Amino acid sequence: MQLIKNYSFPSVALRLALATSYLWEVADRLGFLGAHGQPHVGWGDWQHFLDYARQVMAFLPAGVIPTLAVLATIGEAAIGLLLLTGLFTRIAASLSCLLSLAFALSMAIAFGFDSPVGYSVFTVSAASLLLATLPEYKWSIDSLINKN
């Protein structure tokens, strides 16, 4: 029970779950999980991800969508790596909250409210917000740096 009380287990569990989700999606869109159409592969390559991004952001000017897709991918990779290592955890979790909320709202506009709910994007945003508010991050680079 002490692990729960001092936030060690919950912070590590949240960090790993969020990091895994971000890094998995980045790996998928870059083709590391297999080709498009294979089992358990969502996009399989950049072009299929970009096609999806165009659907999700159809309410924006078409010319900005590729840039936003690149920025989102870089953001997801950076957030995933920061959360995985526990470096700048509060900042990474806050950015995760905002990024996933932007995804959720874009999905809701493009496909209806059931889409972000069905893919648990609001849950990712809320979990990120919770992680950002925890008082400490045991078993992280942050905890090593702050031991002074």
Side-chain angles (χ1 to χ4, degrees), residues 22 29 56 72 76 98-108 116 121:
Y22 280 119
R29 70 185 66 153
V56 171
E76 287 178 278
L98 295 174
L99 183 61
S100 57
L101 182 59
F103 288 161
L105 294 175
S106 294
M107 289 172 73
V121 186

Side-chain angles (χ1 to χ4, degrees), residues 45-117:
D45 58 44
W46 182 255
Q47 187 57 53
H48 283 94
F49 169 69
L50 194 53
D51 292 344
Y52 174 75
R54 285 188 178 102
Q55 293 174 12
V56 171
M57 295 184 275
F59 57 90
L60 295 174
V64 303
I65 293 172
T67 301
L68 291 176
V70 169
L71 291 174
T73 300
I74 291 169
E76 287 178 278
I79 289 167
L81 290 172
L82 289 172
L83 291 175
L84 186 65
T85 61
L87 180 62
F88 306 119
T89 305
R90 193 170 320 282
I91 294 167
S94 298
L95 291 172
S96 173
C97 175
L98 295 174
L99 183 61
S100 57
L101 182 59
F103 288 161
L105 294 175
S106 294
M107 289 172 73
I109 291 167
F111 307 123
F113 190 70
D114 59 318
S115 182
V117 172

